[in-house]
Amino acid sequence: MPLPFQRVLPEEVVFVPFGTRVPLASTKGTVAFRDYRTWYRVTGELGGDRPAVVAVHGGPGSTHDYLLPLARLADDGWPVVHYDQLGNGGSTHLPDADPAFWTVELFLEELDNLLTSLGIADNYVLFGQSWGGPLCAKHAAAGPAGLRGLVVANAPASYPIWLQEMARLRADLPRETQEALLRHEAAGTYDDREYLAAMRVFYDRHVCRARPWPRDFVSSYMEIYNDPTVYYAMNGPNEFHVIGSLKDFSVIDDLPAIDTPTLLLSGRYDEATPTVMRPYEEHVKGARWEIFENSAHLPHLEEPELFHEVLVDFLKGL
């Protein structure tokens, strides 16, 4: 999920739900993790026969907000858990932490801790979007006994491949847009209005094609804008320059170990292109792949009804 810039938010943003009703939370709170706190939200009742669907957001360094429409699954009988990963949203912020503190292992440990603390480690489904996808895949490859299903949405399996595809998508932008990006990157003026406007061209094509931008998406945008600590440490200044700790990260070698039913989701115009997603299909046995023809990186917001139908169908088959 791209680093948000307040000044590239579309002027026509209105803070209304985008075609979906989000059920009220049944419970909100925090659980202890190391010396910190992880914030969570539960919709529906945990502990029944159906597994809880745990929504793992992107970034790294975003928040749960843009995934709130998944709470609709509670109306169909699947309890849903959202949480904010450490460093953002309602969880403990650590703006002065050494960049080396922010690791994949940290967030795997946090996810394990959340599952155990909520008492759902024996019966759950993971939904990992963007950065959350490889995080969930890494978790699934360890063979946890209680994992009933895995959804990997709009996610890189390899950040080197992601960067190759980002360069290709950039090359397809209008010439004046490419020139503006290159000019400001050479000068290091990433916060210049012209650079932000040029990035907005990319966002409108490959991140969110819905107009106006949905409220929940804007909420996560503003959260990460207010504290980009984790994003800067693990990713870098923006989508085009992954120079943080994830620059060489890949889960491709882990994928053959995944033996849970797996659903892959992406958009036709997604920054997570078919080349980015294909390793999941090639290496996870029996993985099913659905591509949303009118979506970019956020089909749950861009085609919400079809998305919900596809997800419910997968869950019913578990």
Side-chain angles (χ1 to χ4, degrees), residues 31-229:
V31 299
F33 170 57
R34 297 186 180 178
D35 294 328
Y36 318 114
R37 307 294 299 186
T38 299
W39 180 94
Y40 69 89
R41 177 193 199 273
V42 176
T43 312
E45 298 302 320
L46 301 178
D49 292 335
R50 284 185 166 176
V53 178
V54 181
V56 184
H57 64 70
S62 186
T63 63
H64 77 285
D65 302 82
Y66 77 102
L67 293 179
L68 272 175
L70 269 68
R72 292 179 61 195
L73 293 170
D75 291 339
D76 297 286
W78 286 274
V80 180
V81 176
H82 288 85
Y83 75 104
D84 288 334
Q85 293 165 25
L86 190 66
N88 291 89
S91 296
T92 304
H93 289 235
L94 297 162
D96 298 322
D98 188 291
F101 173 81
W102 305 105
T103 65
V104 174
E105 290 70 29
L106 171 75
F107 291 108
L108 286 170
E109 183 183 341
E110 182 185 34
L111 176 57
D112 286 341
N113 180 74
L114 179 74
L115 297 172
T116 301
S117 298
L118 295 182
I120 57 174
D122 61 346
N123 193 27
Y124 65 101
V125 171
L126 288 182
F127 178 98
Q129 200 276 339
S130 198
W131 140 255
L135 184 66
C136 289
K138 192 83 171 174
H139 173 94
L147 181 62
R148 304 293 177 236
L150 172 66
V151 183
V152 175
N154 325 97
S158 159
Y159 277 86
I161 293 175
W162 168 274
L163 277 173
Q164 293 170 12
E165 286 297 282
M166 293 297 292
R168 184 180 66 79
L169 293 176
R170 269 185 63 149
D172 289 336
L173 295 174
R175 186 179 66 181
E176 60 273 19
T177 301
Q178 295 185 53
E179 291 174 349
L181 290 171
L182 290 170
R183 183 165 57 252
H184 289 286
E185 287 166 356
T189 50
Y190 294 108
D191 60 349
D192 186 274
R193 182 174 294 275
E194 183 185 36
Y195 184 77
L196 301 180
M199 288 191 67
R200 175 66 199 282
V201 175
F202 179 88
Y203 292 167
D204 284 346
R205 286 191 179 194
H206 299 298
V207 178
C208 185
R209 298 170 73 88
R211 298 293 180 276
W213 281 0
R215 177 197 63 186
D216 298 323
F217 180 44
V218 174
S219 295
S220 283
Y221 236 46
M222 298 310 298
E223 288 276 3
I224 191 174
Y225 177 84
N226 289 332
D227 187 353
T229 301

